[in-house]
Amino acid sequence: MAMRATLLVLMTATIGLTACSNGTPTLMNLRNTESGPDEFAIVPTNDLELPADRSTLPTPTLGGTNRADPTPEADAIAALGGNIARANANAGGLINHASRFGVAPDIRGTLAAEDLAFRQNNGGRVLERLFQNNVYFRAYRRQALDRYAELERLRRSGVQTPSAPPPGL
């Protein structure tokens, strides 16, 4: 009798936990686990200002400037000791080449849907599915890049590469 009660409690808890899911999963927010710099920690050089009339704000443009940080790329290039004129001359060609087959305006939604379908087709084991355990990293393991193996491959082929932190740091 005690075994049935324990089994009933476990089943009830399992059903209760699976009912607590928060809808369709979205793309993963991967976090950098290394101690290097955070390239997304953007700090504007000037104070942000709120305009007097927000209805007259211009429409944002891709690659446009803003008043708080008018030349962020040039500032970064100069801070790293680069030649601003040379970098600006080559930037347009890179953008044109990358967008030569077109740009999808709804790419985030498309990627989220494809990611969800891929993870559903490469789902977890029975208990992982039952408890809705995240199988993202295992599902994408075959597509992951071993950065140190790639670094060594490039160095063996004669490509000059920057130094990299040793594994495990």
Side-chain angles (χ1 to χ4, degrees), residues 55-125:
S55 64
T56 61
L57 288 174
T59 304
T61 56
L62 183 62
T65 61
N66 66 62
R67 297 183 318 189
D69 198 4
T71 57
E73 291 178 1
D75 295 343
I77 292 168
L80 295 171
N83 184 335
I84 298 168
R86 184 174 167 202
N88 287 339
N90 295 330
L94 176 64
I95 293 171
N96 289 338
H97 183 73
S99 60
R100 68 190 180 279
F101 299 119
V103 178
D106 62 339
I107 189 66
R108 291 184 186 272
T110 302
L111 287 176
E114 290 174 358
D115 175 63
L116 177 60
F118 181 81
R119 285 186 288 128
Q120 286 174 339
N121 292 335
N122 295 283
R125 298 176 191 107

Side-chain angles (χ1 to χ4, degrees), residues 11 33-34 40 51 72 87 89 120 125 128 133-135 141 146 166:
M11 288 180 64
T33 58
E34 299 171 354
F40 297 106
Q120 286 174 339
R125 298 176 191 107
E128 290 173 333
N133 192 15
N134 191 333
V135 294
R141 184 182 308 146
D146 180 353

Side-chain angles (χ1 to χ4, degrees), residues 16-71:
L17 286 174
T18 57
C20 294
S21 69
N22 57 357
T24 305
T26 57
L27 288 176
M28 295 287 295
N29 290 325
L30 302 178
R31 289 193 167 78
N32 185 3
T33 58
E34 299 171 354
S35 60
D38 183 6
E39 60 271 17
F40 297 106
I42 299 170
V43 181
T45 55
N46 298 328
D47 292 336
L48 298 177
E49 300 173 3
L50 186 63
D53 184 13
R54 288 187 233 167
S55 64
T56 61
L57 288 174
T59 304
T61 56
L62 183 62
T65 61
N66 66 62
R67 297 183 318 189
D69 198 4
T71 57

